[in-house]
Amino acid sequence: MVSNPSLTEDSTFTPDIPTEAVVKATDDIYIELTPHDLDSRALTTFVRSPSAGATVLFIGTTRDSFDNLPVSSLAYTSYTPLAKNTLFNIATTILNKHKCTKIAISHKLGECPIGEESIVIAVSAPHRKAAWLAGEEALEMTKDKAEIWKLERFEGGEGVWRANRDGIMGTKVPKEEEKQLPKV
Amino acid sequence: MASASKGPANHFTILYFAAASTFTGKTTEHLPAPVRVRDLFTKLDGTYPGMKEKVLGSCAVTVNLEYVDLDDDDASGAGQEIKAGDEVAIIPPE
C-alpha cells in the first residue's frame, strides 16, 4: 500500500488492502485474504487427502442486485490481521466439530467485479455428510464473524454504500471517506 | 497494513472500521493513553456527539487484536487499561 508522507497524522491510515495475499496456514488449515483472483482449484488441491472420501467446494460470487436494486460494483475492506486470526479460529472449530480432514478459506479484498468469486471454501472429510455440514457452517460463521465489510455501488445511484448484515440496506459512505476506499 | 504509525509518545492508535469510520470521518487517529476501555466510549462520544448511541452500542472493541468483553467490568473486560502504543479498533457488525 502506498502511503503519502505529506498527509497529516490523522490521514496516514487507509483501510488496508494488502498488495499481496495474507496467509495463515498449517498442514490441515489454509486461510487467505487476497487482493488477487481466488483460486478454487488450488484450495481444492490443498484439502485433498488419502483419508478423505469427500470434498465440498463452496464458491460465493458477487451478485448484480441487492433488494432489486442493480449493483454495478463491489469491494471488500477488512481489519486484515484480525480477520485472518478469526478465519483461522473458525477453521479450527469446524475441523474439530465435524471431524474433517482439511479446510481452506479464501476471501477477496478490494475491488471484486460482479459475477466473480468473493469467497471460496473447500473442506474435506472422510465421508460426505460431515463435509457438507462443515462447508455450510464455515460459510455462515465467516459471514457472521470475520471482520470484513462489503462496499456496494448501485447503478444510477451516487456514491458508495456500506453493506449491513444480510438483507438490510447499507449506509452511504461520505465523499471524504470514499476517496480512501478501494475503487468499487 | 492495519498498524498505523505508532504516533506521539503516551498515545495509543485507534482504528475505525465501517460505520465507525463513517461516523468519525476518519479511519484512524492517536488518542492519549492511558484510558480504561469503559471510559473510551464516553470519551469518543464527547468528541463525536451521538456516536455512543448511534454506532458504539452495536460495536465490539479489540485491543492489540484481542476482543474485550464489554459486559465484564474487571481488568480483562471494560476495566482494562489501554496503554501507550496499543492498537485499539472499533469493530461494527459485519
Side-chain angles (χ1 to χ4, degrees):
Chain A
M1 194 170 63
V2 182
S3 63
N4 184 342
S6 71
L7 293 175
T8 59
E9 177 201 305
D10 283 348
S11 310
T12 49
F13 178 85
T14 52
D16 58 319
I17 306 300
T19 52
E20 290 303 325
V22 173
V23 172
K24 184 167 182 173
T26 62
D27 286 346
D28 46 17
I29 294 175
Y30 180 85
I31 300 301
E32 177 184 74
L33 291 153
T34 179
H36 303 307
D37 291 348
L38 305 190
D39 188 347
S40 53
R41 179 76 199 177
L43 265 61
T44 311
T45 304
F46 174 84
V47 301
R48 190 183 282 165
S49 161
S51 61
T55 291
V56 165
L57 176 68
F58 175 84
I59 301 177
T61 51
T62 47
R63 200 172 39 224
D64 66 357
S65 67
F66 177 90
D67 210 11
N68 293 325
L69 289 171
V71 173
S72 57
S73 52
L74 278 142
Y76 293 90
T77 61
S78 156
Y79 186 10
T80 311
L82 185 59
K84 180 186 67 177
N85 291 346
T86 299
L87 289 176
F88 191 86
N89 291 340
I90 290 170
T92 305
T93 303
I94 292 293
L95 214 55
N96 294 334
K97 180 175 174 186
H98 296 283
K99 308 263 185 293
C100 295
T101 311
K102 293 186 179 192
I103 184 168
I105 305 175
S106 179
H107 203 296
K108 175 86 174 176
L109 293 181
E111 193 186 357
C112 186
I114 298 295
E116 293 194 9
E117 289 92 339
S118 57
I119 182 168
V120 175
I121 296 177
V123 58
S124 63
H127 303 286
R128 64 183 180 276
K129 182 80 175 173
W132 280 122
L133 293 174
E136 181 179 20
E137 193 170 349
L139 176 70
E140 296 306 320
M141 285 180 80
T142 297
K143 294 189 92 162
D144 186 42
K145 292 190 187 325
E147 295 83 0
I148 299 167
W149 295 276
K150 184 165 73 173
L151 300 157
E152 289 170 311
R153 191 186 292 280
F154 293 101
E155 255 164 48
E158 263 185 42
V160 179
W161 293 72
R162 175 166 282 132
N164 257 313
R165 285 178 186 280
D166 279 356
I168 302 166
M169 185 71 192
T171 49
K172 198 167 188 301
V173 175
K175 278 259 178 295
E176 278 309 300
E177 190 195 338
E178 203 182 305
K179 287 179 202 152
Q180 301 176 11
L181 295 171
K183 193 162 66 71
V184 298
Chain B
M1 291 305 300
S3 13
S5 63
K6 282 288 176 199
N10 305 319
H11 281 62
F12 67 93
T13 303
I14 185 163
L15 308 176
Y16 303 113
F17 290 96
S21 169
T22 303
F23 198 88
T24 59
K26 294 172 184 173
T27 52
T28 185
E29 64 183 319
H30 300 293
L31 298 176
V35 62
R36 291 198 188 278
V37 173
R38 81 166 79 87
D39 300 326
L40 178 64
F41 280 12
T42 309
K43 210 176 144 98
L44 288 173
D45 198 59
T47 311
Y48 308 102
M51 188 179 184
K52 203 167 177 173
E53 189 197 331
K54 292 190 181 106
V55 180
L56 297 173
S58 63
C59 287
V61 175
T62 60
V63 176
N64 299 328
L65 300 179
E66 296 285 344
Y67 278 97
V68 175
D69 183 354
L70 298 171
D71 297 327
D72 179 352
D73 209 42
D74 69 15
S76 65
Q80 183 178 339
E81 189 176 84
I82 299 165
K83 300 181 190 64
D86 283 352
E87 181 176 283
V88 175
I90 305 296
I91 314 278
E94 284 79 36

